Amino acid sequence: MNASPLKVAALIFPRFELLDLFGPLELLGLLKDDVTISLVAQVAAPVASNQGPKTIPDLTFEQFEGADVLLVPGGMGTRQEVDNAVLTDWLRTAATRSKYITSVCTGSALLARAGLLDGKRATSNKRAFEWVKSQGPAVHWIPKARWVEDGNIFTSSGISAGMDMTLGLLARLYHRDISLSIAAAAEYIWNEDSANDPFAEEN
Amino acid sequence: MNASPLKVAALIFPRFELLDLFGPLELLGLLKDDVTISLVAQVAAPVASNQGPKTIPDLTFEQFEGADVLLVPGGMGTRQEVDNAVLTDWLRTAATRSKYITSVCTGSALLARAGLLDGKRATSNKRAFEWVKSQGPAVHWIPKARWVEDGNIFTSSGISAGMDMTLGLLARLYHRDISLSIAAAAEYIWNEDSANDPFAEEN
């Protein structure tokens, strides 16, 4: 599919949300030989998710050299990590070394605190929306969207929405037929319209 | 919600499928203080998924004492593990110590080889269906179902179907309102009808 495999790197931090991370990685992983996946953490030690299960990073921040797709999950851990300057500094550097920057759920709060969303359109989890907004006053937050694309930055709504966004990204990177093929392989019912957001609160 | 938290235990083995495991655990994890989650492996060492990311087990087979819900994911690793007598022996014992037994995707091949599905209705991944059937000639395999319930055994179709099955299980364990509340928190569009299987091949 590619001349060289798609390089995917995903940030992990204590109390990341399981599906924010592994939903998108499942779908990207279905590119099989055409993808490499690396998990990146601040230090080389196991990281416990918000639900408990622990994951081992492949790279530390210092070892990260760049990616085609950078994935930033959300989760309760973002409440602490927004104040972790080592992490937000790394995100700024990592963004310059990545072709596409993506976040799921409250992951967009981390991108916002790194300044990467200033002046751009973005979205986040419905139930944490006011808190996320407070992390990025210069961001144009979109309350009703399954996911939002602004240039090379894709941000999704809460948890499960990351999978729909990932298929949208694959349609951009390759072709809609690739997204449909991967959705079928995963037996996943793709909510293909990024504006179709059944969980947006009516205001 | 419960007098004591729901005890969930999930089997992991080399090359398990990421979403088979972490989709259901995400949704069960949204029970928050009302659930405990343990990953169980043959030995106390990190286990690499089919997509690469590595997870650390909480318990070995010997340390497992029982669960309310036992979850068996699928993935390419099942092709080897069906011939792993230590694993299928453990599954038989674990099943006697678990109130509900669930599998996602080709996880039902492991349950079949352990003899746990003999004479019962069950389903599996569409693209591996013939192989899975060959692992359990005495099983009544259902080719068109998002998931199948037979007594205390729930088996789902491929990968993403595990999440729909999990919400079906929560409706059985608690109430449909709990499933709807958890789906909303995860911003997950629940395919609530177990007979609605858009990926079944037309024969």
Side-chain angles (χ1 to χ4, degrees):
Chain A
M1 183 182 305
N2 257 343
S4 58
L6 188 77
K7 284 180 70 170
V8 174
L11 173 67
I12 54 173
F13 48 81
R15 301 193 71 191
F16 73 86
E17 189 79 12
L18 279 178
L19 190 60
D20 291 17
L21 178 72
F22 292 119
L25 293 188
E26 168 70 40
L27 298 171
L28 291 164
L30 286 167
L31 290 169
K32 298 188 187 291
D33 295 340
D34 294 311
V35 67
T36 65
I37 294 173
S38 302
L39 302 183
V40 190
Q42 189 167 342
V43 293
V47 176
S49 64
N50 194 36
Q51 288 74 23
K54 291 177 279 297
T55 294
I56 300 178
D58 302 294
L59 301 173
T60 62
F61 287 174
E62 287 76 14
Q63 291 170 322
F64 175 78
E65 294 182 345
D68 296 308
V69 176
L70 178 66
L71 172 68
V72 178
M76 285 309 295
T78 58
R79 305 299 194 280
Q80 281 70 54
E81 300 302 331
V82 286
D83 294 318
N84 177 353
V86 175
L87 185 144
T88 49
D89 283 353
W90 176 79
L91 273 179
R92 264 188 299 278
T93 305
T96 66
R97 297 177 185 169
S98 301
K99 286 188 198 156
Y100 287 86
I101 301 152
T102 69
S103 71
V104 179
C105 197
T106 51
S108 54
L110 298 175
L111 296 183
R113 282 295 287 270
L116 294 167
L117 299 180
D118 285 353
K120 295 185 189 293
R121 289 174 299 110
T123 196
S124 191
N125 184 290
K126 299 302 172 309
R127 297 191 179 178
F129 212 79
E130 291 307 313
W131 175 76
V132 175
K133 277 172 72 172
S134 74
Q135 303 301 309
V139 182
H140 181 45
W141 293 104
I142 311 287
K144 182 173 165 64
R146 191 67 171 163
W147 77 91
V148 169
E149 306 181 14
D150 192 326
N152 69 332
I153 302 186
F154 285 53
T155 54
S156 90
S157 281
I159 308 181
S160 310
M163 292 186 283
D164 294 326
M165 175 189 76
T166 299
L167 293 170
L169 174 68
L170 287 168
R172 171 95 76 92
L173 287 170
Y174 301 104
H175 189 282
R176 177 173 175 264
D177 289 347
I178 295 292
S179 303
L180 291 172
S181 161
I182 283 178
E187 300 191 25
Y188 182 73
I189 301 163
W190 182 21
N191 178 355
E192 185 176 350
D193 177 4
S194 65
N196 177 11
D197 181 4
F199 300 99
E201 288 170 323
E202 303 299 330
N203 291 308
Chain B
M1 182 182 304
N2 256 344
S4 57
L6 188 77
K7 285 181 70 171
V8 175
L11 172 67
I12 54 174
F13 48 82
R15 300 194 71 191
F16 72 86
E17 190 78 11
L18 278 178
L19 190 60
D20 290 16
L21 178 72
F22 291 118
L25 293 187
E26 168 70 42
L27 298 170
L28 292 164
L30 286 168
L31 290 169
K32 297 184 188 296
D33 294 341
D34 295 312
V35 66
T36 63
I37 294 174
S38 302
L39 302 184
V40 190
Q42 189 167 343
V43 293
V47 176
S49 64
N50 195 33
Q51 289 74 24
K54 291 177 280 296
T55 295
I56 299 177
D58 302 296
L59 301 172
T60 62
F61 286 174
E62 286 77 15
Q63 292 169 323
F64 174 79
E65 295 183 345
D68 296 307
V69 177
L70 177 65
L71 171 68
V72 178
M76 285 308 295
T78 58
R79 304 301 191 281
Q80 281 70 53
E81 301 302 332
V82 286
D83 294 318
N84 178 353
V86 175
L87 185 143
T88 48
D89 283 352
W90 176 78
L91 273 178
R92 263 188 299 277
T93 306
T96 66
R97 298 177 184 168
S98 301
K99 287 189 198 156
Y100 288 86
I101 301 152
T102 69
S103 70
V104 179
C105 197
T106 51
S108 54
L110 298 175
L111 296 183
R113 282 295 289 269
L116 295 168
L117 300 180
D118 284 355
K120 295 185 189 293
R121 289 175 299 110
T123 195
S124 191
N125 183 291
K126 299 304 173 304
R127 297 193 179 178
F129 212 80
E130 291 307 312
W131 175 75
V132 174
K133 276 172 72 172
S134 73
Q135 303 302 310
V139 182
H140 182 45
W141 293 104
I142 311 287
K144 183 172 164 63
R146 190 67 172 163
W147 77 90
V148 169
E149 307 179 14
D150 192 324
N152 70 333
I153 302 186
F154 285 54
T155 55
S156 90
S157 281
I159 308 180
S160 309
M163 294 186 283
D164 294 327
M165 175 190 76
T166 299
L167 293 170
L169 175 67
L170 287 168
R172 171 96 75 94
L173 287 170
Y174 302 104
H175 189 280
R176 178 172 175 263
D177 289 347
I178 295 292
S179 303
L180 291 171
S181 161
I182 283 178
E187 300 190 25
Y188 182 73
I189 302 163
W190 182 21
N191 178 355
E192 185 175 350
D193 177 4
S194 65
N196 177 12
D197 181 3
F199 300 100
E201 289 170 323
E202 303 299 332
N203 294 309

